[in-house]
């Protein structure tokens, strides 16, 4: 990737060493590292503008301006037009629970919700609980175990006039699978169902385009795309206006304020703005003066580079036949996945392997990764998988180092 070393130099964490060797971060699916500009933005807010919203003094006005400015940048990041459709929250899970509880009030017995076996549980359990509260039915889209894609034929068979909502992830945080969101949303519209898209794992790898997807709601989280722990919800304004979340009496009665429970993480929102600017600056400064076009150029570079990393990883793992990669391994289909890999070994548990790697400064995750529907469907409980997550700050030499250590097992 052009400018890769320049990008890597912006992340202080990448300089960390363990026992004389640089640490290798393959833990990005649980939270990426952040560039210095994000750290500086958080520090600057806390040092100079730390205040709550809505007062007449300057630090409060600066906080108001920060939210307005970051919302505007998120409209470019998500490709939406109305900043009032952008809601901040503590994380994707809390925001999804809030929307699910509100939608539960509109459901009646016999209504149906569709979720998938490939999703993070944060886009499953809130809808299961919403259905239980209303006496509605939950249907699951199955996974094809050969390549960990969703069974689209079975999905279409589940759709009916009873279907009120489809909840699906844009990218799997376990297998890296990219789901055909535009087509799934189009299919859902044929029966009048709402669509709720979890783009948390998608956001660091692919540019989100709400207009292209055609969905009704979408959520993402800053800590996955090189920012702080802040959740972002986009929803159609008419839905945000008519649905009724649980809120305090003095809270606003209209979007986005009615959905933003309590005082927000303003320093995190400052860091979120900086993370979007970091991503835009990865592209060519000559590409365009439009933030959206700069982001598109950056993500095109990221996607191209990450596909090469995926190909390198899959090829390198052929040297280790005792490992199984769950998901797409056909190099002609790499455009249908992001470089997140779930592995199992014929003898060793994921927990054992992750500990061995941690001792030499290679950071990975083991377990179900909150993708419990996937690990249960593939009968991988109780140990789950070893997850290796690659981002644009990872390198081919780090993959070589990983494979060398895995061979020693």
């Amino acid at each position: 990737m052009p400018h890769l070393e320049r990008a890597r130099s912006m992340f202080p964490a990448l300089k960390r060493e363990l026992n004389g060797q640089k640490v290798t971060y393959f833990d990005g699916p649980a939270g990426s590292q952040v560039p210095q500009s994000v750290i500086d933005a958080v520090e600057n807010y806390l040092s100079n503008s730390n205040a709550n919203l809505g007062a007449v003094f300057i630090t409060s006005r600066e906080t108001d301006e920060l939210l307005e400015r970051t919302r505007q940048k998120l409209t470019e990041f998500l490709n939406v037009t109305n900043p009032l459709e952008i809601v901040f929250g503590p994380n994707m899970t809390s925001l999804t629970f809030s929307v699910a509880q509100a939608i539960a009030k509109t459901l009646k017995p016999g209504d149906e919700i569709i979720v998938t076996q490939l999703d993070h549980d944060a886009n499953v359990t809130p809808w299961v609980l919403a259905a239980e509260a209303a006496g509605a039915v939950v249907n699951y889209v199955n996974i094809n175990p050969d390549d960990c894609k969703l069974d689209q034929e079975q999905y279409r068979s589940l759709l009916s006039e009873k279907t009120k909502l489809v909840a699906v992830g844009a990218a799997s945080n376990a297998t890296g699978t990219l789901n055909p969101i535009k087509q799934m949303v189009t299919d859902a519209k044929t029966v009048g169902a709402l669509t709720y898209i979890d783009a948390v794992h998608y956001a660091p790898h692919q540019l989100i385009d709400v207009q292209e997807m055609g969905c009704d709601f979408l959520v993402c989280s800053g800590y996955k795309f090189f920012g702080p722990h802040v959740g972002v919800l986009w929803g159609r304004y008419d839905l945000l206006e008519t649905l009724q979340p649980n809120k305090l009496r003095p809270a606003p009665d209209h979007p986005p304020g009615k959905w933003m429970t309590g005082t927000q993480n303003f320093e995190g929102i400052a860091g979120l703005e900086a993370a979007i600017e970091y991503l835009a600056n990865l592209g060519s400064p000559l590409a365009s003066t439009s933030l959206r076009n700069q982001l598109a150029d950056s993500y095109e570079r990221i996607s191209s580079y990450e596909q090469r990393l995926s190909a390198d990883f899959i090829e390198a793992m052929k040297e280790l036949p005792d490992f199984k990669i769950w998901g797409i391994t056909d190099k002609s289909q790499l455009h249908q996945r992001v470089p997140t890999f779930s592995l199992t070994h014929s003898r060793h548990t994921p927990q054992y392997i992750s500990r061995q790697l941690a001792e030499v400064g290679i950071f990975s995750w083991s377990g179900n990764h909150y993708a419990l529907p996937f690990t249960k469907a593939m009968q991988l409980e109780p140990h789950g998988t070893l997850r290796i997550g690659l981002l644009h700050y990872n390198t081919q030499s780090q993959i070589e180092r990983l494979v060398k250590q895995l061979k020693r097992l």
Side-chain angles (χ1 to χ4, degrees), residues 64 102 186 190 268 355 366 394 398:
D64 290 334
T186 298
T190 63
R355 283 195 300 270
S366 62
N394 293 117
Q398 291 178 334

Side-chain angles (χ1 to χ4, degrees), residues 7-23:
R8 286 177 54 78
S9 70
M10 297 179 186
F11 289 80
L14 303 189
K15 299 180 176 68
R16 181 163 186 164
E17 294 186 355
L18 183 66
N19 299 326
Q21 275 198 308
K22 288 282 181 67
V23 165

Side-chain angles (χ1 to χ4, degrees), residues 117-133:
Q117 292 182 338
L118 196 55
D119 269 73
H120 188 289
D121 201 53
N123 204 27
V124 176
T125 290
W127 304 112
V128 171
L129 295 176
E132 288 178 355

Side-chain angles (χ1 to χ4, degrees), residues 170-181:
S172 167
N173 76 311
T175 67
T177 308
L178 289 170
N179 292 318
I181 296 301

Side-chain angles (χ1 to χ4, degrees), residues 86-151:
I86 304 293
V87 177
F88 297 111
N91 47 60
M92 174 270 182
T93 303
S94 298
L95 288 166
T96 303
F97 267 118
S98 181
V99 176
Q101 289 167 359
I103 286 180
K105 300 172 187 177
T106 71
L107 299 175
K108 61 182 184 299
D111 286 344
E112 296 181 359
I113 290 175
I114 294 177
V115 297
T116 90
Q117 292 182 338
L118 196 55
D119 269 73
H120 188 289
D121 201 53
N123 204 27
V124 176
T125 290
W127 304 112
V128 171
L129 295 176
E132 288 178 355
V137 176
V138 178
N139 295 314
Y140 286 79
V141 183
N142 295 335
I143 304 170
N144 180 346
D146 295 332
D147 56 11
C148 294
K149 296 180 185 179
L150 291 175
D151 185 336

Side-chain angles (χ1 to χ4, degrees), residues 6 63 150 214 222 224 267 275 336 355 361 403:
R6 180 175 67 86
T63 301
L150 291 175
K224 292 293 187 75
E267 63 270 27
Q336 297 182 47
R355 283 195 300 270
V403 171

